[in-house]
Each structure stands twice: as structure tokens, then as C-alpha cells.
Amino acid sequence: MELRHLRYFRAVAEELHFGRAARRLHIAQPPLSQQIRQLEDELGVALLTRSTRRVELTPAGADYLAHTVAILDAVDAAGHHAQQVAEGRTGRLSIGCVGSATYSVLPAFVRALRDRIPDVEVRIRGEMLAPAQLAALRSGDIDIGLLRMSGEEPDLRVEPIRTDHLILALPDGHPAAATGSVDLHNLRDEDFIAHAGGGRSVMNTVLMTLCSVAGFTPRIRHEVEETSTLATLVAAGLGVALVPEPTAAIGITGVTYRPLSTPTSGIELHAARRIDDAASPMIDRALEVLREIASAPYEPARK
Amino acid sequence: MELRHLRYFRAVAEELHFGRAARRLHIAQPPLSQQIRQLEDELGVALLTRSTRRVELTPAGADYLAHTVAILDAVDAAGHHAQQVAEGRTGRLSIGCVGSATYSVLPAFVRALRDRIPDVEVRIRGEMLAPAQLAALRSGDIDIGLLRMSGEEPDLRVEPIRTDHLILALPDGHPAAATGSVDLHNLRDEDFIAHAGGGRSVMNTVLMTLCSVAGFTPRIRHEVEETSTLATLVAAGLGVALVPEPTAAIGITGVTYRPLSTPTSGIELHAARRIDDAASPMIDRALEVLREIASAPYEPARK
DNA sequence: TAAAAATACTCCATAGGTATTTTAT
DNA sequence: ATAAAATACCTATGGAGTATTTTTA
């Protein structure tokens, strides 16, 4: 069976006249009769009752007509939808994001996506550590990763999205929070809260480097998977933490954020994608949107 | 575009290998490549990225594959469904029914239909007067009419289904209800409640005839559209009524039913259908079911 | 008897086959 | 070097056209 049979049957069923249907289809009447006969033979069902004076649908024919129309429409719709996907106007997009951007850059990104690409279907996986994102990118679990990284990844395309200042997260009432900015050296005897993964986390590397410059090695008492947990532990007074500025978007009371007295070069947020996904215009368009909105400096939520 | 293109695309998309897909389709590889190319050209969308070593779906191709599978399945399902309809195993059936059978024969019929033809989709229109049913049959609004009629209807096929005894509906405590059966003559001074439509209703004709034999002309004070209303009026003491026995299935308190002391030939319930619906096996099957169950004498619901 | 569907046949467009080339790893 | 897709070209199936017959209202 071919779509031709369905198109022809639809025409005859709607016209209830082989001659008119043939004219509508721009073919002669005999081949139309033949094709309809073929269709009926293949289905083993009489779809039409014909006499020379009247053509009518059988109950089975009426049923088949409804399905036929639905199928022909679905064929058209499938083509149009595929074109939309090819143009990146619709599709599914899975985004992974590190904790420090989950509550600031990520929501802004998703909001902008919905504005600019209304038919995108976004799936979000926030609070993903960088190594998990790399694995998820390779397995196809996510299409775009928002992470902080240093090394090279040959099968991924990584680009810097924005640079974030580093700030300190202190428990409310901490002596160092009394001043406008904090000298890292004053925290040499504090407990530090760090991310899991040790040296594989860029934030940990930066922390070690900065403390080393300040003349001490930070004592790391707690390691956390999620940045939100980190904020909770700081609020509980279990230690202090060095975090990228957007982390402050986590609305947990009991935490005071203070800049460092010594300016640093900050830490970069990167967007990563599979290098062989070049044929995915949705990812291209999404990254364009990300570049536009992510360069804006982090702005704390107004109350 | 033809289903061939979809079948071929599905094979290639699932095998991700033109050679294997061609073998699976029992054709050679070059024509397969050609057909896929045709499909892509017609859609204006690249569905696959090919190199000599790897064939992959583009995002648009993955999208199109999902739709393709759905369409091909729908084509199969449509054929099977039409076969089911042709065998009368599934389909929609609209049944009209007069008031006196609405609460006894009709529910038994529908119950039997569900047992015997599980996939039938029944639409019921109860409490339809006979003329309305004839019109609804002709307009296609109902497929089967359960009604009481006398004349001939050339474009309908009518068959007797069952004969019902005639009984009297009296208000509780009515003097005539004191005895086991009632002589119609004793009701010569009562108000009668009749169906609307006058002589066009067979029940009215029967009423006039029986009363005439009993030597009087009934005084008709109220005419009703629904048999349920008739029962309500009797219960309210507004009059008495002659009804077919199944009417007693209407569970309205305040009404006592009594047989006539003089046996009558009763009144027949007919099933009517369009004569040109011979090609509808669902109607055939449904009527077979009706014949089986409807011949059983009316049996009041046990409490 | 006239309008319309079915049949008979003819033709050619194109799906599919064979042989070969191209390409990417 | 080799496996696999693309290209070139040929073949033949079957879809569509023309002429005619059959059917029924």
C-alpha cells in the first residue's frame, strides 16, 4: 500500500464520485478505479458501494476515511515539524548546569530561551558537577553544559560565557563580615567548605592557589556536592567558603557575602557541547541566546 | 511522497547502515540511497549525515523518524480497524427507543451488546416517540429504532421484536386497584393520560379501540411526551393510563399496575433500521442480539 | 437511455537492479 | 586498503492514458 491509495481514496470518499475525484486528482477515471480496487483487495474490506448512479461509503469505509485523513495530515505535519527542527525553531534541549549558576544564569537563560525560541522544550539538570556534565554530554544526556573547567576536551566544543568575581560566603555575624571586604589571610584559621572532587574542581584549584598566595593552606573540613548544600553549611556556621558571585542568588538566610580585598581574575563559566553536534541548529540558536544574556554582570535579585 | 519513502527511511534510520537496511527491505543498496535522497529533497531537510563509515540521524531526522514510525503504525492500525468494522466487531451504534421500553428492554439490550460485542460504542436516545425515531433513522441520527408502529415504511426495514401485554397504570389506592384485574368499563368516568401525537401514536389508537369495545370514549385530559412523565402524572392522581407492561419498570412510587380483565392481543415492539444499511454488519449483529434477548417475557426487577 | 463505473489494452515513467566510482577511515 | 555510500546506466514493473463495454436508475 502507498500513500497514493490513501490520497485517492480520500478524494473518492469526499467526492463520492469517481469521475469528479479523478478530475480533482488530475488523473483519468479508470486508473483511479483500479487503485481503489487495489486498496480494497489489500485490506480485504469493501470501502465503497458503487453503482453507476451512486457511490457510498460502507461503515468500514467511513471508519477508514477518518483514519486516512488523520494519516495524510500526519504525513504533512511530520514534514513541517522536521523542517522546524532543522531550522532550530523547535526541539528538545537538555541543559546541565553547575550549582553556582543554577540560581542566576540558568533561570535567566531558560527565560530568554522561552522568549526567543517559543517551541523549545527545555529539560534542566541543575547542580551538576563539571565531571558529571562532561559524562552527560558524551552520553547525550545533556546537549549543553554550563560548567567551570580548565583543561581541553577534544570531543567537546567549549567556549567562555562570562567571568564571575570570587566572593566569600560567611556566616552572619562573622567578625570578618564587619568590614566591606575581606583579606583572605584573616581566614587562615577558619574551616573551609569546598566542593567534592578535590583538584578536579576548578573552584578548589582556585581556592588552593589564592590561599597559597595569602600564605596558608586552607583547612577543608566539609565537601559538598551541591552549592545549595554549601550555602546551608555556611549558614549553619560550619565554615566559610570561596564561591563565584552568582552563588549569592541562593536565597538562604544566615549567609553574608563579602568581596575579597585583593582583586582576583575571577573564574570563568563555560558552555560546552559535543563537537559533532554541528548539525543541531537548536543548540546553535540556544548558545547564541546564552551569549547575549550571559555577558550581563550578575545582578542580585531586587526585593 | 509515498509510504515507500517512509518505510525505507525507517529501515535506514533503525539500521544506521544503507547496506543492511537494503537487505532488510529486500532491495539493492543504490535504489535505497536514491529513495532516501528523494525524501530529503522533497522535505528540504537533511535527515541523515552519511560518511562511508558512519550513518547518523540529524536532529530533524530523529524527529521525523518518530513521526514516521507513528504514521506507519497508524496505517496498519487503520486497516485492521476497518476490518473489525467490516466484521461488525467494532463501531458506533446509535439506538433510539420509545419510553415504554426505555427502562426494561433497552437496558437489557445494551447490556447484552456489551457482552457480545465488547468494542461497540453505543449511543442511546431513550424516550423517543415513534415519529421522532422515524425521522432520526432517515437522517442517520440513529441506526436502530425501538418503537411501536402500524403502517409501512418503504425505506425502512421493520421487524417485530416482542409482544407486550397491556396493563393499566392507576394511582395507589384507586378503587379499581383493589381487585386483581380491572374491567376497562369501570374506568369510563376517569381522566385518561395519553401520549402526544394523537392518532399517530399506536398506543393511542389501541386505547381508543379498546375503550370503544368497552362502550365508551376515554376522556383524555393530559398528553405527555415521555412515559416517565406519564407515570408521574398517574402517581400524582391526575388520571389513569393504558400502557405496555414493560412500562412498570419505571420505578415511580404511587403507581399501581393491574392487568385488564379482558385479555387483549397486546402491542408489539418493533425494531426499525434503514433498508439501505444492508452493508452494516454492526447493525446486523446488534439486531441478532436484540432478537435473542427481547423475546424473553418482561420480568419485573426483583428487589 | 444516459451517466458513470468497470474492463481491455497500450505506453512510459520510474522503482529497482547491475556495474562502477568515489570517499573516508 | 577497504568498506560503504554515491553515481551511471539499464531493465521492467505497474501506474496512467485511451477506447470501449457494462450497468442501473
Side-chain angles (χ1 to χ4, degrees):
Chain A
M1 193 195 312
E2 290 298 338
L3 285 179
R4 177 182 55 255
H5 295 107
L6 300 185
R7 295 195 186 98
Y8 288 8
F9 171 62
R10 177 184 189 168
V12 175
E14 287 177 355
E15 298 287 346
L16 291 176
H17 190 291
F18 279 74
R20 275 200 303 278
R23 248 170 281 139
R24 175 171 139 185
L25 293 165
H26 305 294
I27 62 169
Q29 168 261 318
L32 178 56
S33 293
Q34 281 177 21
Q35 294 291 313
I36 298 294
R37 168 65 54 94
Q38 269 187 21
L39 177 62
E40 290 180 310
D41 286 351
E42 188 165 342
L43 293 177
V45 170
L47 301 172
L48 298 159
T49 54
R50 322 106 148 106
S51 73
T52 52
R53 294 285 163 181
R54 190 161 59 220
V55 174
E56 280 181 296
L57 283 167
T58 63
D63 179 86
Y64 199 67
L65 175 61
H67 291 282
T68 291
V69 171
I71 288 166
L72 291 175
D73 287 352
V75 169
D76 282 351
H80 291 137
H81 200 260
Q83 286 161 10
Q84 295 285 304
V85 172
E87 292 170 18
R89 301 195 173 281
T90 189
R92 184 181 299 254
L93 193 66
S94 193
I95 304 169
C97 184
V98 290
S100 59
T102 296
Y103 307 96
S104 53
V105 176
L106 183 61
F109 181 26
V110 175
R111 219 177 300 129
L113 276 179
R114 291 230 166 277
D115 281 352
R116 299 275 302 276
I117 315 176
D119 287 336
V120 68
E121 189 182 327
V122 181
R123 212 192 62 174
I124 296 170
R125 300 196 45 197
E127 291 281 14
M128 272 187 105
L129 296 177
Q133 287 196 45
L134 298 180
L137 275 168
R138 291 186 175 110
S139 74
D141 223 27
I142 62 175
D143 303 307
I144 295 177
L146 295 176
L147 69 168
R148 306 182 191 282
M149 56 187 296
S150 50
E152 292 293 308
E153 300 290 341
D155 56 338
L156 301 179
R157 201 157 71 202
V158 182
E159 60 180 300
I161 290 297
R162 52 175 286 153
T163 304
D164 291 312
H165 294 126
L166 292 167
I167 58 174
L168 286 161
L170 309 165
D172 280 359
H174 189 282
T179 55
S181 63
V182 178
D183 187 341
L184 200 53
H185 188 78
N186 295 338
L187 300 175
R188 60 180 307 156
D189 295 324
E190 295 288 339
D191 284 343
F192 273 78
I193 300 168
H195 284 93
R200 293 200 309 171
S201 162
V202 180
M203 270 308 299
N204 289 347
T205 311
V206 169
L207 173 63
M208 300 310 276
T209 306
L210 288 179
C211 289
S212 158
V213 168
F216 70 101
T217 303
R219 185 169 66 233
I220 293 171
R221 271 285 168 80
H222 300 282
E223 290 196 336
V224 297
E225 290 279 336
E226 301 91 22
T227 301
S228 57
T229 307
L230 181 145
T232 309
L233 296 191
V234 171
L238 296 180
V240 301
L242 183 74
V243 296
E245 192 178 5
T247 302
I250 301 178
I252 291 184
T253 56
V255 184
T256 302
Y257 296 95
R258 285 287 178 275
L260 293 169
S261 55
T262 325
T264 71
S265 54
I267 187 166
E268 269 185 323
L269 180 70
H270 300 94
R273 56 177 296 186
R274 287 178 293 279
I275 208 162
D276 58 331
D277 252 358
S280 174
M282 172 56 89
I283 297 180
D284 292 337
R285 285 173 56 108
L287 285 177
E288 279 169 31
V289 172
L290 178 59
R291 276 175 220 123
E292 279 179 39
I293 65 110
S295 56
Y298 167 67
E299 183 179 338
R302 283 139 273 167
K303 299 210 177 118
Chain B
M1 192 195 312
E2 290 298 339
L3 286 180
R4 177 181 56 254
H5 295 106
L6 299 185
R7 296 194 185 99
Y8 288 8
F9 171 62
R10 178 184 188 168
V12 175
E14 287 177 354
E15 298 287 346
L16 292 178
H17 189 291
F18 279 75
R20 276 200 303 277
R23 247 170 283 141
R24 174 171 141 186
L25 294 165
H26 305 293
I27 62 170
Q29 167 262 316
L32 178 56
S33 292
Q34 280 176 22
Q35 294 292 313
I36 298 295
R37 169 64 55 93
Q38 269 186 21
L39 177 61
E40 290 181 313
D41 286 351
E42 188 165 342
L43 293 176
V45 171
L47 300 173
L48 298 158
T49 54
R50 321 111 149 102
S51 74
T52 53
R53 293 286 162 179
R54 189 160 61 218
V55 174
E56 280 181 294
L57 284 167
T58 63
D63 180 86
Y64 199 67
L65 175 61
H67 290 282
T68 291
V69 171
I71 288 166
L72 291 174
D73 287 353
V75 169
D76 283 351
H80 292 136
H81 200 259
Q83 286 161 11
Q84 295 287 304
V85 172
E87 290 168 20
R89 301 194 173 281
T90 188
R92 183 181 300 253
L93 193 67
S94 193
I95 304 170
C97 184
V98 290
S100 59
T102 295
Y103 306 95
S104 53
V105 176
L106 182 61
F109 181 26
V110 175
R111 220 176 300 128
L113 276 179
R114 291 230 167 279
D115 281 351
R116 299 277 301 275
I117 315 177
D119 287 337
V120 67
E121 188 182 329
V122 181
R123 212 193 61 174
I124 296 170
R125 299 197 43 196
E127 290 283 14
M128 272 186 104
L129 296 176
Q133 286 195 46
L134 298 180
L137 275 167
R138 289 182 176 113
S139 74
D141 223 26
I142 63 176
D143 302 308
I144 295 178
L146 295 176
L147 69 168
R148 306 181 191 282
M149 56 188 297
S150 50
E152 292 294 308
E153 301 290 341
D155 56 339
L156 300 179
R157 200 157 72 203
V158 181
E159 61 180 299
I161 290 298
R162 52 175 287 154
T163 304
D164 290 310
H165 295 124
L166 292 168
I167 59 175
L168 285 162
L170 308 166
D172 281 0
H174 189 280
T179 55
S181 63
V182 178
D183 187 341
L184 200 54
H185 188 77
N186 295 340
L187 299 176
R188 60 180 309 155
D189 295 325
E190 296 288 340
D191 285 341
F192 274 77
I193 300 170
H195 283 95
R200 294 200 308 171
S201 162
V202 180
M203 270 309 298
N204 289 347
T205 313
V206 170
L207 174 64
M208 300 309 276
T209 307
L210 288 179
C211 290
S212 159
V213 168
F216 70 101
T217 302
R219 186 170 66 233
I220 292 172
R221 271 285 167 81
H222 300 282
E223 291 195 336
V224 298
E225 291 278 338
E226 301 91 22
T227 301
S228 58
T229 307
L230 181 144
T232 308
L233 296 190
V234 171
L238 295 181
V240 302
L242 184 74
V243 296
E245 191 178 7
T247 302
I250 300 179
I252 290 184
T253 57
V255 185
T256 301
Y257 295 95
R258 285 288 179 273
L260 294 169
S261 55
T262 326
T264 70
S265 54
I267 186 166
E268 270 184 322
L269 180 69
H270 300 93
R273 57 177 296 187
R274 287 177 294 278
I275 207 162
D276 59 331
D277 252 356
S280 175
M282 172 56 90
I283 297 178
D284 293 338
R285 285 173 57 107
L287 285 176
E288 279 169 30
V289 173
L290 178 60
R291 276 175 219 121
E292 279 178 39
I293 64 111
S295 55
Y298 167 67
E299 182 179 338
R302 283 139 273 168
K303 298 208 176 118

